[in-house]
Amino acid sequence: MNLLNRYGVSERFLAQATMFPEYILARVVAQYRGKYKIVTEEKELLAEISGKLRYDTDELAMYPAVGDYVLIDVVGDTALIHHVLTRKSLFVRKAVGVSGQVQPIAANVDIVFLCMSLNQNYNLNRMERYLSIAWDSGATPVVVLTKSDLCHDLNSAVEQIEKISCYSDVITVSMYDEDVCEKFLPYFQKNQTCTFIGSSGVGKSTIINKLLGESVITTQEIGKGDKGRHTTTGREMFSCPLGGVVIDTPGMREMGADGVDLSKAFTEISELAQQCQFRDCTHTNEPGCAVLRAVENGELDIRRLESYRKLEQEASYDGLSSKEIEIKKSERMFKEVGGMKNVRRYAREHNKRK
């Protein structure tokens, strides 16, 4: 059995790997301190980063993450990771103890389920944060409203979410549902990689266990004060019986707004901003501000604008021009021009050494 097929490999990554025939293609399926669990076509292995890759990498976001496709060779019982293939999406969070750096959490995600429970955890500002992070990553967001049996007006809650989410798909689930797998089936197609964002205790682990058909992840209810407790201690990918794979990781649960896409998460503000008198309008007190005018006319909710401002200030992109933002995102994700330059440079270096 080809394990890479089981873990979602696509033609895109198979084609990239042909540029480096001296190496073996693998996917990172779990991450531990200083070690990675990877799968090749034939087997699972523990792996570590090669000395050259560590030396050549000056940004933490360039290190392998769960979901990455990597090029390896095997030395004894351990694999060495020499190169990370061009990513199509990437989730990051602020690196602890390293100023100005972000840490990769999960890569090459196709669908991200944004989970929020319909009890004390329900918060539109939180969902706007999740949506901004999801759109920035390159993955497609799907909103999951859990504990729907506790909601007094489910239709109203869904309408609120639809208004702030650019009408992304919305799934509602409760502990009494017997058709959870059926609700998620359309998103778990062959080669699809899915993951979950949401506060601890909202039911992510319970959902994942149902999708996997077994209790592989410990569950924990929301604690007092709605703080919850993390119940997953490592980052890991699981092959899903429905098709594709699912990633569970504590790093996906409470990520800060280090990278956000406000243009998609706040489309109405972005469209109004095009009508402002000044191109660099901050929507605070400038004359001719179309955004402030919409608030005054009741066309835009002030809560929505305040949430936009807060995320903009928190984001690592704050103060950068649109061009600088795109450059930063390309460097971080190995995408487009920046990504292809990295791949081609790496290929040229290897051809010279042959």
Side-chain angles (χ1 to χ4, degrees):
M1 180 180 182
N2 187 326
L3 286 177
L4 280 177
N5 286 337
R6 183 182 176 189
Y7 282 93
V9 71
S10 65
E11 290 299 324
R12 167 188 178 138
F13 296 104
L14 291 171
Q16 283 189 52
T18 60
M19 299 176 65
F20 311 99
E22 68 272 37
Y23 290 130
I24 301 169
L25 177 64
R27 191 172 198 189
V28 179
V29 298
Q31 184 174 353
Y32 316 105
R33 290 187 177 180
K35 294 281 187 179
Y36 301 87
K37 183 166 76 172
I38 61 172
V39 293
T40 66
E41 288 187 359
E42 300 176 349
K43 57 184 176 180
E44 291 185 354
L45 289 166
L46 282 180
E48 56 189 38
I49 300 172
S50 71
K52 186 176 188 308
L53 177 59
R54 192 180 302 275
Y55 178 81
D56 290 343
T57 303
D58 56 6
E59 186 177 352
L60 291 178
M62 300 299 190
Y63 280 96
V66 173
D68 266 323
Y69 290 91
V70 295
L71 298 175
I72 68 162
D73 63 8
V74 180
V75 180
D77 295 329
T78 302
L80 289 179
I81 298 174
H82 294 275
H83 186 55
V84 179
L85 293 185
T86 306
R87 295 158 169 163
K88 63 180 180 181
S89 67
L90 178 66
F91 285 89
V92 298
R93 70 176 178 184
K94 188 173 295 184
V96 178
V98 185
S99 177
Q101 291 265 9
V102 293
Q103 176 185 7
I105 298 301
N108 300 312
V109 173
D110 298 294
I111 304 290
V112 53
F113 296 107
L114 311 176
C115 300
M116 188 167 65
S117 61
L118 290 167
N119 54 3
Q120 67 265 36
N121 179 255
Y122 184 76
N123 185 296
L124 291 178
N125 288 2
R126 180 184 291 118
M127 183 52 67
E128 286 166 343
R129 175 187 296 269
Y130 292 162
L131 285 162
S132 301
I133 293 169
W135 284 121
D136 182 74
S137 75
T140 299
V142 174
V143 177
V144 180
L145 299 178
T146 66
K147 306 187 181 182
S148 61
D149 55 297
L150 302 179
C151 183
H152 297 298
D153 191 346
L154 183 58
N155 289 335
S156 176
V158 171
E159 288 178 4
Q160 285 183 319
I161 295 299
E162 286 179 339
K163 287 180 180 178
I164 69 169
S165 67
C166 300
Y167 292 88
S168 298
D169 289 353
V170 179
I171 300 172
T172 62
V173 296
S174 81
M175 63 180 293
Y176 303 107
D177 288 345
E178 297 181 357
D179 61 345
V180 171
C181 290
E182 286 79 2
K183 290 183 177 182
F184 285 86
L185 181 60
Y187 306 99
F188 280 87
Q189 301 172 12
K190 181 181 178 182
N191 298 334
Q192 289 281 87
T193 297
C194 304
T195 193
F196 288 75
I197 288 180
S199 301
S200 295
V202 300
K204 297 181 305 299
S205 296
T206 299
I207 293 172
I208 294 175
N209 284 335
K210 288 186 177 181
L211 298 178
L212 297 179
E214 56 182 321
S215 297
V216 298
I217 303 169
T218 305
T219 61
Q220 178 70 55
E221 288 298 314
I222 295 176
K224 293 182 179 180
D226 191 29
K227 293 182 179 179
R229 282 177 282 178
H230 295 314
T231 54
T232 302
T233 57
R235 303 168 197 164
E236 190 165 1
M237 175 188 295
F238 302 94
S239 177
C240 183
L242 301 181
V245 295
V246 59
I247 297 174
D248 183 66
T249 161
M252 297 293 291
R253 299 183 175 190
E254 297 293 352
M255 294 187 298
D258 302 292
V260 297
D261 189 334
L262 299 180
S263 65
K264 290 182 179 177
F266 295 85
T267 53
E268 77 277 39
I269 294 179
S270 298
E271 291 171 359
L272 286 168
Q274 301 299 316
Q275 305 171 31
C276 291
Q277 181 175 341
F278 302 103
R279 292 184 62 184
D280 57 351
C281 185
T282 62
H283 320 307
T284 52
N285 53 16
E286 294 90 344
C289 175
V291 175
L292 293 179
R293 185 165 58 248
V295 172
E296 293 173 0
N297 295 338
E299 299 170 4
L300 177 65
D301 189 349
I302 185 63
R303 182 208 63 79
R304 187 92 164 129
L305 178 57
E306 289 174 350
S307 178
Y308 174 92
R309 288 171 177 165
K310 183 178 180 180
L311 287 171
E312 187 178 49
Q313 291 172 358
E314 289 183 25
S316 60
Y317 300 153
D318 187 26
L320 299 181
S321 68
S322 58
K323 183 176 181 180
E324 289 171 326
I325 290 172
E326 288 307 312
I327 291 173
K328 187 170 184 179
K329 286 174 66 176
S330 292
E331 290 174 348
R332 185 178 285 179
M333 297 173 63
F334 293 6
K335 286 174 64 178
E336 299 169 353
V337 176
M340 290 312 299
K341 282 184 178 178
N342 284 333
V343 172
R344 288 166 182 159
R345 174 178 56 80
Y346 194 84
R348 284 198 301 269
E349 290 176 356
H350 273 256
N351 290 333
K352 288 180 180 178
R353 291 198 292 268
K354 291 181 179 179

